[in-house]
Amino acid sequence: MLMLGDVVCCYIIKRATRFTVEVEVGGSLATAYTNNTGRLLGYLTRGRVGYCLRARGGKHPLRLVAVEDGEYAALIDTRLQEEAFAEAVRLGWLPWLAECSISKRNPRVGSSVLDLMLDCRGKATFVELKSAVMRLEEGFAAYPDAPTKRGRQQIEHLAELARQGSRSIVVFIAGIPNARGFKFYCEVDKEICRSVRKALEAGVEFRGVNFFVDVKSNAIVLGDADLQVDLSCCIQ
């Protein structure tokens, strides 16, 4: 649904910093930027094939956007995840956002900045996207893979908006190919479950969408527009 354009293949060497990955391209070492601050366990490992775009300016010549996963690639780039989601909204491919359009990006709510504000038949709908590129057994994608104070605050602000009458949605972008479903991972951040429970009580929706990369066509594709979401570890 979204073409990546001129993709540069590389081999992952290691994660160097929070925002950079050492890669090998054509036998030479290079540094690639990544905007995904998650741990990306199992993906940023030595020898894994990565897919980069050439950066437009900035300190690093490449931007790592996807990593090989079977015959496809996991979409790890959070900006492209957002662009794919926005395109799916525009095309009307998400049945639970029928007749919605994007009215504002990065709306500020209290001390948090959310990803999107939509207009759904005249009603304001606030959306926060969460990158889920942690692979669990049986093909499930998971979030979070690291403690996230910012994530907790955003969920709490969505809960406050829901209590005020706005529609509020947390959308987990499962970036692994053909994800079977999404599961909330409760092992790395015990406090976030409290925020999830309060959000559910306030009426916040939790949804999942699957996007990944078809390396043959260099395109981001929509795998599942309404992915099964399992929050059981937070509500037991």
Side-chain angles (χ1 to χ4, degrees):
M1 56 179 283
L2 279 181
M3 301 302 297
L4 291 178
D6 185 19
V7 173
V8 178
C9 292
C10 68
Y11 289 100
I12 306 294
I13 304 298
K14 65 178 181 179
R15 188 166 205 158
T17 69
R18 190 182 185 200
F19 293 105
T20 61
V21 180
E22 289 184 13
V23 299
E24 179 185 329
V25 181
S28 299
L29 295 180
T31 301
Y33 170 77
T34 176
N35 58 18
N36 194 321
T37 58
R39 291 176 177 169
L40 300 174
L41 300 173
Y43 284 108
L44 300 187
T45 57
R46 190 179 187 91
R48 199 104 185 215
V49 176
Y51 300 93
C52 298
L53 298 179
R54 297 194 185 278
R56 299 176 180 175
K59 296 188 297 182
H60 309 293
L62 300 172
R63 184 170 116 235
L64 183 65
V65 298
V67 179
E68 185 179 45
D69 188 343
E71 61 181 311
Y72 299 104
L75 179 64
I76 68 169
D77 187 272
T78 57
R79 185 175 69 80
L80 287 177
Q81 289 176 356
E82 181 176 333
E83 290 304 316
F85 179 82
E87 183 70 357
V89 172
R90 186 186 71 82
L91 294 171
W93 286 357
L94 307 180
W96 41 277
L97 288 178
E99 299 183 50
C100 294
S101 60
I102 295 173
S103 58
K104 188 175 183 179
R105 294 191 183 233
N106 305 126
R108 179 170 290 277
V109 178
S111 60
S112 287
V113 176
L114 303 177
D115 284 316
L116 298 166
M117 182 169 70
L118 307 178
D119 183 328
C120 298
R121 287 173 286 185
K123 183 172 183 177
T125 297
F126 293 89
V127 175
E128 177 61 23
L129 307 177
K130 294 301 178 189
S131 177
V133 197
M134 180 182 183
R135 178 182 282 279
L136 300 181
E137 294 179 356
E138 300 178 345
F140 283 87
Y143 168 91
D145 68 357
T148 171
K149 179 180 179 181
R150 180 171 176 266
R152 295 195 301 269
Q153 291 175 336
Q154 289 167 328
I155 292 172
E156 289 166 4
H157 283 133
L158 283 171
E160 182 60 31
L161 288 167
R163 283 190 285 268
Q164 294 172 4
S166 296
R167 188 183 180 192
S168 301
I169 313 173
V170 177
V171 180
F172 299 107
I173 305 293
I176 68 175
N178 293 313
R180 178 182 171 189
F182 167 85
K183 288 186 178 181
F184 206 90
Y185 189 68
C186 300
E187 300 302 316
V188 296
D189 190 340
K190 300 296 184 181
E191 294 184 30
I192 199 169
C193 278
R194 187 180 301 112
S195 300
V196 170
R197 288 193 295 270
K198 289 181 179 179
L200 286 169
E201 292 170 0
V204 175
E205 299 174 38
F206 288 82
R207 299 281 187 170
V209 182
N210 180 213
F211 295 108
F212 57 95
V213 175
D214 181 345
V215 296
K216 294 180 181 178
S217 62
N218 285 345
I220 299 171
V221 296
L222 174 62
D224 192 325
D226 194 5
L227 199 65
Q228 171 192 347
V229 172
D230 182 351
L231 303 176
S232 60
C233 75
C234 277
I235 59 179
Q236 289 176 347

